[in-house]
Amino acid sequence: GGLASARTIEDIPVAVFPQWRVPFYIHLAIFIFLYVLGFAKFQICWPITWSTDGTFLWHLWNHIPMDNMNKTLAGHALTTLAICYLPGVLAGWLQIYRGTKYSRFPAWLDNWLKMRKQLGLLMLFAASIHACLSVAYMSPTYHGLVYGDPVEASAYVMEGEGWGPKTESLNRTTIKVFGTEKMKWRGECFLMTGVFGFALVVLLGITSLPSVTATLSWKEFAFVQSGLG
């Protein structure tokens, strides 16, 4: 017993993120599950169901690096945020059921409560990447519901492969021209809701820092984490 305890004590100074391992594995497992689910929907189901002539729509695979990642991160951040607040709700109901707040929680719930901070910061990391990607490719071609209807024009287009010479097409092609109108009300609400929600997430992350928490009273901290969260 003594040697085992000594080995554990000696490993403490050289341990690398011991409290972050389980939350990170949970965070990574949720992301992989949602990404595989999105891949099956966007790159397998849609190319089959959207095809009009029976061919597989391989061009939808071009969106794997960014569009799939951004959509996965959106659901990933929301799921992780729910996991952060769920143990507190379960602990509250358990205390009500037992009629006291002084009884010990089960081991699994106690460990879940202790990793909420790590899960919350990982959620903020995922939400930050989602916000950056959403701004990076905010365009009518990706978010057709956000912008106004495009103006359709008929014109001859230049055709050719790669860097070779281009020739004018024989038939006229319908071209969609965006930018003639501002965002619809639905698009502005969509953008403002995302910005406001991300601002609240950043506020929750800042108030979880020890230096900031030390300056807040318990009532103020509970208002930010429970009320705004």
Side-chain angles (χ1 to χ4, degrees):
L3 292 177
S5 299
R7 181 181 300 176
T8 303
I9 294 174
E10 290 177 355
D11 289 340
I12 292 177
V14 295
V16 180
F17 300 111
Q19 297 179 351
W20 287 80
R21 293 176 184 174
V22 175
F24 177 75
Y25 293 150
I26 295 174
H27 187 77
L28 185 62
I30 295 174
F31 175 80
I32 294 175
F33 172 76
L34 293 178
Y35 191 86
V36 172
L37 195 64
F39 178 83
K41 176 183 178 181
F42 303 135
Q43 273 68 46
I44 297 179
C45 295
W46 282 8
I48 297 176
T49 56
W50 287 9
S51 178
T52 57
D53 54 359
T55 59
F56 193 82
L57 303 179
W58 288 103
H59 70 274
L60 293 178
W61 285 55
N62 297 328
H63 306 305
I64 292 177
M66 186 172 64
D67 194 31
N68 279 30
M69 178 72 70
N70 192 36
K71 292 178 180 178
T72 302
L73 287 172
H76 183 214
L78 291 175
T79 304
T80 311
L81 181 62
I83 292 178
C84 292
Y85 284 94
L86 181 59
V89 176
L90 296 178
W93 279 106
L94 184 59
Q95 289 176 342
I96 294 175
Y97 174 77
R98 292 178 176 178
T100 178
K101 64 178 181 179
Y102 299 105
S103 60
R104 294 179 61 88
F105 294 122
W108 62 270
L109 183 57
D110 185 62
N111 294 329
W112 193 357
L113 290 168
K114 292 178 180 178
M115 67 175 67
R116 287 182 298 175
K117 181 177 180 180
Q118 288 80 5
L119 289 172
L121 293 177
L122 290 172
M123 178 274 301
L124 179 59
F125 175 72
S128 300
I129 299 178
H130 169 66
C132 293
L133 287 177
S134 298
V135 174
Y137 74 99
M138 176 67 70
S139 66
T141 53
Y142 278 96
H143 304 92
L145 297 177
V146 175
Y147 294 86
D149 296 330
V151 176
E152 294 186 356
S154 178
Y156 294 102
V157 297
M158 304 302 293
E159 297 178 344
E161 296 292 337
W163 298 92
K166 309 291 183 181
T167 58
E168 190 176 86
S169 62
L170 298 178
N171 300 320
R172 300 178 71 90
T173 304
T174 301
I175 302 173
K176 294 182 179 181
V177 181
F178 294 91
T180 57
E181 298 181 10
K182 294 183 179 180
M183 284 187 180
K184 297 180 179 179
W185 68 269
R186 179 168 47 187
E188 294 191 0
C189 292
F190 159 76
L191 186 60
M192 282 305 303
T193 302
V195 172
F196 186 69
F198 181 68
L200 291 179
V201 169
V202 173
L203 181 61
L204 293 175
I206 292 176
T207 54
S208 66
L209 298 175
S211 58
V212 179
T213 305
T215 62
L216 299 176
S217 64
W218 171 250
K219 189 174 183 178
E220 293 171 343
F221 180 79
F223 170 75
V224 175
Q225 294 294 328
S226 301
L228 297 181

PDB file of all heavy atoms in Angstrom, residues 5-18 21:
ATOM      1  N   SER A   5       1.163   4.060  -3.087  1.00  0.00           N
ATOM      2  CA  SER A   5       0.849   5.468  -2.833  1.00  0.00           C
ATOM      3  C   SER A   5       2.032   6.348  -3.201  1.00  0.00           C
ATOM      4  O   SER A   5       1.858   7.450  -3.744  1.00  0.00           O
ATOM      5  CB  SER A   5       0.478   5.656  -1.360  1.00  0.00           C
ATOM      6  OG  SER A   5      -0.660   4.886  -1.025  1.00  0.00           O
ATOM      7  N   ALA A   6       3.242   5.885  -2.905  1.00  0.00           N
ATOM      8  CA  ALA A   6       4.426   6.671  -3.246  1.00  0.00           C
ATOM      9  C   ALA A   6       4.568   6.826  -4.751  1.00  0.00           C
ATOM     10  O   ALA A   6       4.945   7.895  -5.252  1.00  0.00           O
ATOM     11  CB  ALA A   6       5.682   6.006  -2.661  1.00  0.00           C
ATOM     12  N   ARG A   7       4.280   5.775  -5.489  1.00  0.00           N
ATOM     13  CA  ARG A   7       4.347   5.859  -6.951  1.00  0.00           C
ATOM     14  C   ARG A   7       3.328   6.864  -7.484  1.00  0.00           C
ATOM     15  O   ARG A   7       3.623   7.639  -8.399  1.00  0.00           O
ATOM     16  CB  ARG A   7       4.096   4.478  -7.551  1.00  0.00           C
ATOM     17  CG  ARG A   7       4.155   4.446  -9.074  1.00  0.00           C
ATOM     18  CD  ARG A   7       3.869   3.052  -9.589  1.00  0.00           C
ATOM     19  NE  ARG A   7       4.856   2.105  -9.061  1.00  0.00           N
ATOM     20  CZ  ARG A   7       4.789   0.787  -9.294  1.00  0.00           C
ATOM     21  NH1 ARG A   7       3.782   0.292 -10.000  1.00  0.00           N
ATOM     22  NH2 ARG A   7       5.710  -0.016  -8.801  1.00  0.00           N
ATOM     23  N   THR A   8       2.140   6.855  -6.914  1.00  0.00           N
ATOM     24  CA  THR A   8       1.113   7.804  -7.351  1.00  0.00           C
ATOM     25  C   THR A   8       1.518   9.236  -7.055  1.00  0.00           C
ATOM     26  O   THR A   8       1.327  10.141  -7.883  1.00  0.00           O
ATOM     27  CB  THR A   8      -0.229   7.480  -6.659  1.00  0.00           C
ATOM     28  OG1 THR A   8      -0.596   6.131  -6.943  1.00  0.00           O
ATOM     29  CG2 THR A   8      -1.318   8.418  -7.136  1.00  0.00           C
ATOM     30  N   ILE A   9       2.102   9.466  -5.859  1.00  0.00           N
ATOM     31  CA  ILE A   9       2.519  10.815  -5.483  1.00  0.00           C
ATOM     32  C   ILE A   9       3.654  11.300  -6.381  1.00  0.00           C
ATOM     33  O   ILE A   9       3.711  12.466  -6.768  1.00  0.00           O
ATOM     34  CB  ILE A   9       2.932  10.839  -4.001  1.00  0.00           C
ATOM     35  CG1 ILE A   9       1.713  10.550  -3.116  1.00  0.00           C
ATOM     36  CG2 ILE A   9       3.547  12.185  -3.625  1.00  0.00           C
ATOM     37  CD1 ILE A   9       2.047  10.402  -1.649  1.00  0.00           C
ATOM     38  N   GLU A  10       4.568  10.414  -6.736  1.00  0.00           N
ATOM     39  CA  GLU A  10       5.673  10.803  -7.603  1.00  0.00           C
ATOM     40  C   GLU A  10       5.214  11.120  -9.019  1.00  0.00           C
ATOM     41  O   GLU A  10       5.834  11.915  -9.721  1.00  0.00           O
ATOM     42  CB  GLU A  10       6.712   9.680  -7.646  1.00  0.00           C
ATOM     43  CG  GLU A  10       7.477   9.502  -6.334  1.00  0.00           C
ATOM     44  CD  GLU A  10       8.434   8.339  -6.390  1.00  0.00           C
ATOM     45  OE1 GLU A  10       8.419   7.629  -7.433  1.00  0.00           O
ATOM     46  OE2 GLU A  10       9.181   8.136  -5.421  1.00  0.00           O
ATOM     47  N   ASP A  11       4.115  10.522  -9.456  1.00  0.00           N
ATOM     48  CA  ASP A  11       3.613  10.771 -10.812  1.00  0.00           C
ATOM     49  C   ASP A  11       2.827  12.067 -10.924  1.00  0.00           C
ATOM     50  O   ASP A  11       2.581  12.543 -12.047  1.00  0.00           O
ATOM     51  CB  ASP A  11       2.705   9.614 -11.260  1.00  0.00           C
ATOM     52  CG  ASP A  11       3.504   8.345 -11.517  1.00  0.00           C
ATOM     53  OD1 ASP A  11       4.735   8.468 -11.711  1.00  0.00           O
ATOM     54  OD2 ASP A  11       2.905   7.260 -11.510  1.00  0.00           O
ATOM     55  N   ILE A  12       2.413  12.643  -9.796  1.00  0.00           N
ATOM     56  CA  ILE A  12       1.593  13.858  -9.845  1.00  0.00           C
ATOM     57  C   ILE A  12       2.318  15.027 -10.511  1.00  0.00           C
ATOM     58  O   ILE A  12       1.749  15.696 -11.393  1.00  0.00           O
ATOM     59  CB  ILE A  12       1.104  14.229  -8.427  1.00  0.00           C
ATOM     60  CG1 ILE A  12       0.103  13.180  -7.926  1.00  0.00           C
ATOM     61  CG2 ILE A  12       0.475  15.623  -8.420  1.00  0.00           C
ATOM     62  CD1 ILE A  12      -0.371  13.423  -6.504  1.00  0.00           C
ATOM     63  N   PRO A  13       3.593  15.344 -10.182  1.00  0.00           N
ATOM     64  CA  PRO A  13       4.229  16.508 -10.816  1.00  0.00           C
ATOM     65  C   PRO A  13       4.453  16.357 -12.320  1.00  0.00           C
ATOM     66  O   PRO A  13       4.537  17.360 -13.038  1.00  0.00           O
ATOM     67  CB  PRO A  13       5.565  16.631 -10.070  1.00  0.00           C
ATOM     68  CG  PRO A  13       5.364  15.893  -8.796  1.00  0.00           C
ATOM     69  CD  PRO A  13       4.433  14.773  -9.125  1.00  0.00           C
ATOM     70  N   VAL A  14       4.581  15.118 -12.813  1.00  0.00           N
ATOM     71  CA  VAL A  14       4.878  14.916 -14.235  1.00  0.00           C
ATOM     72  C   VAL A  14       3.646  14.483 -15.025  1.00  0.00           C
ATOM     73  O   VAL A  14       3.760  14.175 -16.219  1.00  0.00           O
ATOM     74  CB  VAL A  14       5.999  13.865 -14.394  1.00  0.00           C
ATOM     75  CG1 VAL A  14       7.293  14.375 -13.793  1.00  0.00           C
ATOM     76  CG2 VAL A  14       5.589  12.542 -13.750  1.00  0.00           C
ATOM     77  N   ALA A  15       2.493  14.427 -14.385  1.00  0.00           N
ATOM     78  CA  ALA A  15       1.274  14.043 -15.101  1.00  0.00           C
ATOM     79  C   ALA A  15       0.856  15.140 -16.069  1.00  0.00           C
ATOM     80  O   ALA A  15       1.002  16.336 -15.784  1.00  0.00           O
ATOM     81  CB  ALA A  15       0.146  13.759 -14.107  1.00  0.00           C
ATOM     82  N   VAL A  16       0.373  14.752 -17.233  1.00  0.00           N
ATOM     83  CA  VAL A  16      -0.027  15.689 -18.288  1.00  0.00           C
ATOM     84  C   VAL A  16      -1.555  15.714 -18.377  1.00  0.00           C
ATOM     85  O   VAL A  16      -2.171  14.733 -18.800  1.00  0.00           O
ATOM     86  CB  VAL A  16       0.581  15.287 -19.644  1.00  0.00           C
ATOM     87  CG1 VAL A  16       0.150  16.275 -20.725  1.00  0.00           C
ATOM     88  CG2 VAL A  16       2.094  15.222 -19.555  1.00  0.00           C
ATOM     89  N   PHE A  17      -2.147  16.806 -17.952  1.00  0.00           N
ATOM     90  CA  PHE A  17      -3.594  17.034 -18.024  1.00  0.00           C
ATOM     91  C   PHE A  17      -4.386  15.837 -17.485  1.00  0.00           C
ATOM     92  O   PHE A  17      -5.216  15.261 -18.203  1.00  0.00           O
ATOM     93  CB  PHE A  17      -4.036  17.341 -19.453  1.00  0.00           C
ATOM     94  CG  PHE A  17      -3.392  18.547 -20.039  1.00  0.00           C
ATOM     95  CD1 PHE A  17      -2.473  18.419 -21.080  1.00  0.00           C
ATOM     96  CD2 PHE A  17      -3.681  19.815 -19.575  1.00  0.00           C
ATOM     97  CE1 PHE A  17      -1.869  19.532 -21.634  1.00  0.00           C
ATOM     98  CE2 PHE A  17      -3.092  20.939 -20.132  1.00  0.00           C
ATOM     99  CZ  PHE A  17      -2.173  20.793 -21.154  1.00  0.00           C
ATOM    100  N   PRO A  18      -4.184  15.441 -16.245  1.00  0.00           N
ATOM    101  CA  PRO A  18      -4.921  14.271 -15.737  1.00  0.00           C
ATOM    102  C   PRO A  18      -6.422  14.505 -15.627  1.00  0.00           C
ATOM    103  O   PRO A  18      -7.216  13.574 -15.808  1.00  0.00           O
ATOM    104  CB  PRO A  18      -4.287  14.035 -14.359  1.00  0.00           C
ATOM    105  CG  PRO A  18      -3.731  15.367 -13.955  1.00  0.00           C
ATOM    106  CD  PRO A  18      -3.290  16.027 -15.233  1.00  0.00           C
ATOM    107  N   ARG A  21      -8.353  14.322 -19.387  1.00  0.00           N
ATOM    108  CA  ARG A  21      -8.344  13.153 -20.271  1.00  0.00           C
ATOM    109  C   ARG A  21      -9.742  12.621 -20.519  1.00  0.00           C
ATOM    110  O   ARG A  21     -10.170  12.464 -21.670  1.00  0.00           O
ATOM    111  CB  ARG A  21      -7.452  12.064 -19.669  1.00  0.00           C
ATOM    112  CG  ARG A  21      -5.978  12.444 -19.636  1.00  0.00           C
ATOM    113  CD  ARG A  21      -5.151  11.384 -18.946  1.00  0.00           C
ATOM    114  NE  ARG A  21      -3.753  11.802 -18.828  1.00  0.00           N
ATOM    115  CZ  ARG A  21      -2.819  11.127 -18.178  1.00  0.00           C
ATOM    116  NH1 ARG A  21      -3.157   9.991 -17.551  1.00  0.00           N
ATOM    117  NH2 ARG A  21      -1.573  11.572 -18.121  1.00  0.00           N
TER     118      ARG A  21
END
